[in-house]
Amino acid sequence: MPVKCESDLSAVRLLKEKDPDQLYGAVRHIKNRVIGSRTRKQEYLDVGILPELIGVIKLHSTPISVEAAYICNSLAHGGRQYVEHLISSGLVETLIDGIFLEEQKLVEACLRTIRTIYQYPNLECQNLWEIDNFIPRLIDLMTTSEVAGQCCAMIIGSICKSRDQQTILFSSPILNNLNSLLLTDSTQSNLAGLFCLSELSYDNQFVAEKVAANERLIHRLFQLMRRDKYILVQYNAAKCLTNLFRLGALSEERSKTQILDTIVYLCLSEDIAIKHIGANLLHELIEQNSELQLWASYSQHLMRGLSRFFVASKDPEFSPRLRAAAFKAFAALGETQEDIRKSIIEGENIISHLKFGLQDDSLEVQVAALSCLHSLSRSVKQLRTNLLDAEVWEPLLKLIKTDDDELVRTSSRTLCNLLLDFSPSKDILLEQEGTVELLSKLVLNSDDEVKLNGVWALMNITYKADSNLRSKILSHFGVLQILETVEDDCPKLKIKALGLLRNILCDPDEVDRIMTSHGREVLKTLVPILTDIDRCSDDEQEQVLCVFINIATGHIAKDLLAERDDLLGCLLKFLSHNNSQLQIAATTCITHLVKSEDSGCLIRQNKLKEMGHFKELQTLLGSRPEVADRAKIALQYFQ
């Protein structure tokens, strides 16, 4: 019979006892004291209970060791600081040993505690993947009891962090085991199975297709989204199906509407936690899918419901997360279609919320508000009206100067839209002191996306810019720096840098000046892009040809081009290319080279005739109209 303990301290002392009754009485006393009490948890940690508990678990004596493991599980529920104490004490290693025992109750108690510990993200903890036979053991234990199945599914879902791990797991019998959890009427088993499945199927084409091929499982997932199911079960089922849909594994119209209906239902819940996860899932589902964005926009209840997220909730700590979720949902809704953006701005008064969101104390809200602004700023009309009136550029400039990488990435991406030629904010931004310097610094940023946004923004402001602005830009980000950026391995960055160079080289006199000082470097960088067919894309080569079109307008520069037989050979090759845009670009470049504007034009014409350009242009007269018209213009200049 268990012995009663008179105090907490005496209970801790009794953990060293060898008498089973006294030991069992002590662990029962401590368990009853710590459950639900953070104060008691801390007190027991302060008096050094962990080494004693670990020692009791290592006895492998049930029910004493089971009770000790449950105490550790209760401590882990206290929060991250308690979990870190448990990890540093060496408890995890003891629990891992425990799951390889035969005693089911002790195995389950150890699994419960491992599950609770590993639910906390980014812990400096034992990598369970490195332990021999640990993952196979979890998969085997899933079928031994309902509790074991739930715990193993939660653990596997928590520690699966890469595509390789997802694929390894789906090469095992885990799908059958998850199926068993989902087919039961137990809500806890359903939740555990769905959580594991959603983690394993996220952004993994192989897993998604394997899951989608299991018709019984798919049917069950749709069943679990029904309104009579527990709302978190509905959410997790929708999350699994969203993963499959985003990867194209589900294509039926029925799938789209049922998933969307469930997510809209979650967004309109009275429970703020459900609203939050519902809005985030809505963003995942409809992002980059214009059809679903349109369907979602038809629900006025959804739009109004999301707008209410901006009203302060009864839980002030949760309010920022709600606001961020709403901004992300609106960003996805307005991503592609002008009518939806108009509804969001005019119907939901989003601009005033955006201004506050950009200046919010919460980093999460600021990033989400920037994403929403970026989405809405794709609208020409809104750039010229509501976004201009709201002066959103002002907080944007402040955010882009912060030290936070995510803020700089998102704000610089949004700034690119505000600097488009048709945006009135462009002139206002350029009037602000230090804007050009700021954009030039972005290009030097170590973050690839920020660098891309910086070049993109410079490309936008140089479009139709006057010579003073172009000179100012070159004083901060010179021709050699632009050429260095052109040589970057990132295709998007290369294309934007070529666009920037093209905009810089737009005035014949400036072209001559720049080519006189940097012509050798320009040709050394650009010509190889035309010759390297295997490594460079059609888009990159078209941009290079467009740069050469501008260079060919220079009086001195066109002779520099004509001296390069390798460049002229590339132009000849592109005349017979199967891409009409490259044919047109090459033809236009030749036109500028042979125009009768100077004494050297006859020399250039004769050279091109000798190399076969004239003859090739004649063959283009029978091509598609847009190519034939350009060829006809070029041929008119040959004498």
Side-chain angles (χ1 to χ4, degrees):
M1 183 177 177
V3 177
K4 273 193 163 186
C5 298
E6 294 180 3
S7 70
D8 296 335
L9 197 54
S10 67
V12 175
R13 291 197 193 100
L14 285 173
L15 292 178
K16 298 179 182 179
E17 287 289 335
K18 298 190 188 298
D19 181 83
D21 287 341
Q22 288 190 324
L23 195 51
Y24 186 58
V27 291
R28 290 280 295 176
H29 173 86
I30 294 169
K31 188 183 83 167
N32 293 335
R33 298 281 281 171
V34 299
I35 290 176
S37 172
R38 290 177 65 89
T39 303
R40 293 296 182 192
K41 287 178 173 62
Q42 188 60 55
E43 288 174 355
Y44 277 115
L45 287 174
D46 291 342
V47 296
I49 195 176
L50 286 179
E52 309 305 332
L53 286 174
I54 292 172
V56 174
I57 296 172
K58 285 180 176 179
L59 292 174
H60 300 163
S61 172
T62 53
I64 298 171
S65 296
V66 173
E67 296 291 344
Y70 281 142
I71 293 170
C72 293
N73 186 46
S74 177
L75 292 172
H77 276 293
R80 192 179 188 88
Q81 66 197 62
Y82 295 98
V83 169
E84 289 171 351
H85 275 296
L86 298 176
I87 292 169
S88 62
S89 71
L91 173 68
V92 173
E93 291 79 1
T94 302
L95 296 172
I96 290 168
D97 291 339
I99 74 164
F100 285 94
L101 301 174
E102 296 298 325
E103 176 52 51
Q104 185 68 20
K105 292 293 183 185
L106 183 54
V107 169
E108 289 176 4
C110 290
L111 285 172
R112 285 180 190 269
T113 311
I114 294 172
R115 173 205 62 192
T116 305
I117 289 173
Y118 279 85
Q119 74 181 353
Y120 295 92
N122 305 318
L123 287 172
E124 291 187 12
C125 193
Q126 174 76 51
N127 184 348
L128 300 180
W129 284 87
E130 296 176 351
I131 300 168
D132 289 342
N133 297 317
F134 181 80
I135 301 299
R137 176 63 174 166
L138 287 182
I139 294 171
D140 289 342
L141 287 172
M142 290 179 76
T143 60
T144 58
S145 72
E146 188 175 58
V147 169
Q150 294 169 10
C151 292
C152 291
M154 294 296 292
I155 294 168
I156 291 170
S158 297
I159 66 173
C160 187
K161 302 297 182 185
S162 71
R163 288 185 184 178
D164 287 343
Q165 290 170 352
Q166 292 169 325
T167 304
I168 289 169
L169 285 164
F170 262 79
S171 300
S172 73
I174 194 169
L175 189 56
N176 291 331
N177 296 348
L178 291 176
N179 234 334
S180 299
L181 289 172
L182 299 179
L183 290 171
T184 179
D185 291 331
S186 165
T187 297
Q188 291 304 316
S189 293
N190 291 163
L191 285 172
L194 289 168
F195 169 73
C196 186
L197 185 61
S198 69
E199 293 298 314
L200 269 57
S201 61
Y202 181 75
D203 200 26
N204 188 310
Q205 191 72 44
F206 168 77
V207 174
E209 289 175 0
K210 197 163 183 178
V211 173
N214 190 317
E215 293 182 10
R216 187 184 183 195
L217 176 56
I218 295 299
H219 178 69
R220 182 57 176 164
L221 289 174
F222 278 103
Q223 281 185 330
L224 292 173
M225 285 200 305
R226 290 192 322 219
R227 297 289 184 268
D228 61 334
K229 299 297 181 183
Y230 179 50
I231 197 161
L232 284 177
V233 170
Q234 295 180 50
Y235 162 73
N236 281 283
K239 187 170 177 61
C240 291
L241 290 166
T242 296
N243 289 348
L244 305 184
F245 178 76
R246 280 171 62 91
L247 292 167
L250 287 181
S251 56
E252 302 145 2
E253 293 299 310
R254 175 182 72 96
S255 304
K256 302 175 188 176
T257 53
Q258 284 187 257
I259 301 168
L260 184 59
D261 286 347
T262 298
I263 295 174
V264 170
Y265 173 70
L266 296 171
C267 292
L268 300 176
S269 170
E270 294 299 318
D271 187 312
I272 59 173
I274 299 298
K275 286 177 186 284
H276 171 250
I277 59 177
N280 282 331
L281 189 55
L282 176 69
H283 169 262
E284 285 185 37
L285 178 68
I286 68 175
E287 187 182 28
Q288 298 179 348
N289 189 302
S290 58
E291 183 184 12
L292 283 182
Q293 289 161 14
L294 188 61
W295 285 356
S297 72
Y298 291 151
S299 172
Q300 289 303 312
H301 293 300
L302 174 63
M303 294 282 207
R304 284 195 293 271
L306 290 173
S307 294
R308 294 192 192 103
F309 283 28
F310 297 116
V311 179
S313 74
K314 295 177 181 177
D315 183 353
E317 292 186 9
F318 206 84
S319 286
R321 296 169 67 185
L322 275 178
R323 294 197 295 276
F327 279 131
K328 286 168 66 177
F330 279 126
L333 281 164
E335 188 177 45
T336 59
Q337 301 186 54
E338 179 63 27
D339 289 343
I340 300 177
R341 295 186 196 115
K342 182 180 178 183
S343 297
I344 293 171
I345 289 177
E346 296 179 3
E348 307 308 329
N349 193 28
I350 193 71
I351 297 297
S352 61
H353 297 308
L354 263 178
K355 288 193 70 175
F356 284 114
L358 294 173
Q359 301 170 72
D360 201 284
D361 293 334
S362 164
L363 175 63
E364 183 184 8
V365 174
Q366 287 182 315
V367 171
L370 280 168
S371 296
C372 186
L373 175 59
H374 177 251
S375 178
L376 299 177
S377 66
R378 291 188 173 106
S379 165
V380 176
K381 182 180 178 182
Q382 301 306 331
L383 280 172
R384 289 176 172 170
T385 54
N386 292 296
L387 295 179
L388 176 65
D389 296 340
E391 297 182 336
V392 293
W393 57 267
E394 196 168 6
L396 196 62
L397 281 182
K398 291 178 182 177
L399 292 175
I400 208 169
K401 296 173 185 175
T402 62
D403 295 327
D404 184 84
D405 292 341
E406 187 61 30
L407 277 180
V408 176
R409 273 193 293 270
T410 317
S411 55
S412 60
R413 191 189 312 141
T414 308
L415 191 63
C416 291
N417 286 353
L418 297 187
L419 289 171
L420 288 166
D421 187 57
F422 50 72
S423 168
S425 298
K426 174 181 177 179
D427 292 334
I428 299 173
L429 281 162
L430 291 176
E431 289 170 3
Q432 307 306 306
E433 187 175 351
T435 298
V436 172
E437 295 88 331
L438 173 65
L439 297 178
S440 301
K441 285 180 181 177
L442 291 180
V443 184
L444 304 176
N445 196 291
S446 58
D447 185 282
D448 289 341
E449 185 179 345
V450 174
K451 186 186 297 186
L452 171 63
N453 295 338
V455 174
W456 201 331
L458 286 173
M459 184 190 76
N460 287 347
I461 65 173
T462 52
Y463 180 69
K464 295 182 180 179
D466 59 33
S467 59
N468 290 333
L469 179 56
R470 290 196 299 271
S471 298
K472 186 176 183 179
I473 291 167
L474 288 176
S475 68
H476 292 284
F477 192 65
V479 173
L480 294 181
Q481 287 175 293
I482 296 174
L483 293 175
E484 185 180 337
T485 309
V486 168
E487 293 178 323
D488 195 277
D489 291 332
C490 173
K492 284 185 178 180
L493 184 58
K494 188 189 294 286
I495 286 174
K496 296 305 175 187
L498 287 167
L500 170 59
L501 184 62
R502 176 185 176 183
N503 290 345
I504 291 290
L505 296 167
C506 64
D507 177 81
D509 292 333
E510 288 185 38
V511 166
D512 283 339
R513 180 177 57 80
I514 290 172
M515 290 302 290
T516 299
S517 58
H518 295 101
R520 184 170 174 272
E521 292 83 0
V522 170
L523 292 169
K524 182 181 178 182
T525 300
L526 300 189
V527 173
I529 297 176
L530 297 182
T531 57
D532 195 345
I533 299 174
D534 295 331
R535 193 172 66 89
C536 299
S537 67
D538 285 3
D539 289 339
E540 292 168 1
Q541 293 178 327
E542 183 184 356
Q543 283 298 319
V544 171
L545 289 172
C546 289
V547 174
F548 281 132
I549 288 171
N550 284 8
I551 293 175
T553 63
H555 307 295
I556 300 171
K558 62 180 64 185
D559 283 329
L560 293 175
L561 300 187
E563 290 171 2
R564 292 290 297 258
D565 289 354
D566 52 352
L567 172 58
L568 299 181
C570 289
L571 293 178
L572 179 61
K573 176 187 66 178
F574 284 117
L575 289 179
S576 57
H577 202 281
N578 57 11
N579 185 327
S580 62
Q581 294 303 312
L582 292 175
Q583 288 180 300
I584 290 170
T587 304
T588 306
C589 188
I590 291 170
T591 300
H592 286 305
L593 288 175
V594 299
K595 273 185 178 179
S596 308
E597 295 176 345
D598 58 85
S599 56
C601 70
L602 285 175
I603 298 174
R604 294 192 296 274
Q605 289 174 17
N606 289 333
K607 185 172 185 179
L608 289 172
K609 280 183 179 179
E610 290 173 7
M611 292 182 71
H613 293 72
F614 183 81
K615 186 176 180 181
E616 191 64 40
L617 285 169
Q618 288 178 318
T619 65
L620 292 180
L621 295 175
S623 298
R624 281 171 287 190
E626 64 271 19
V627 177
D629 290 345
R630 296 300 180 99
K632 192 181 297 182
I633 293 171
L635 288 168
Q636 289 175 356
Y637 288 105
F638 280 92
Q639 296 182 16

